[in-house]
Amino acid sequence: MANTSEYYRHCAEESLRHAEASILANVRERHLHSAAAWQAMAERVAKIEANRRESQERELSARLADHSRSFP
């Protein structure tokens, strides 16, 4: 689960749970700030993952097209 959007979302959820359990306002704010940062990282990595999948799919399609042209 290292450095995936799933991992970052998990960390955001964990930070939110800690915030909800916090008694002190400053500790709660720290956890909420942490959750927001984890969520932002999750969204950024999710976009990268989607772009990578799309790029791989385009590359595969191009290879298949090239391959099919070489066999009439």
Side-chain angles (χ1 to χ4, degrees):
M1 218 168 42
N3 296 343
T4 64
S5 58
E6 180 182 335
Y7 171 74
Y8 292 130
R9 279 191 293 275
H10 170 77
C11 291
E13 291 167 4
E14 188 173 310
S15 291
L16 286 175
R17 282 192 297 276
H18 287 299
E20 290 171 0
S22 297
I23 296 170
L24 299 174
N26 63 328
V27 174
R28 185 177 355 352
E29 288 300 316
R30 186 182 70 220
H31 287 299
L32 290 172
H33 185 266
S34 177
W38 284 116
Q39 185 61 38
M41 286 186 278
E43 291 168 5
R44 191 168 44 244
V45 170
K47 288 179 185 177
I48 291 169
E49 291 168 344
N51 289 339
R52 185 176 297 132
R53 277 191 304 274
E54 290 172 7
S55 176
Q56 290 171 341
E57 288 171 3
R58 281 192 306 272
E59 184 179 322
L60 180 59
S61 293
R63 285 183 180 183
L64 289 173
D66 288 344
H67 183 69
S68 65
R69 277 181 267 187
S70 63
F71 293 103

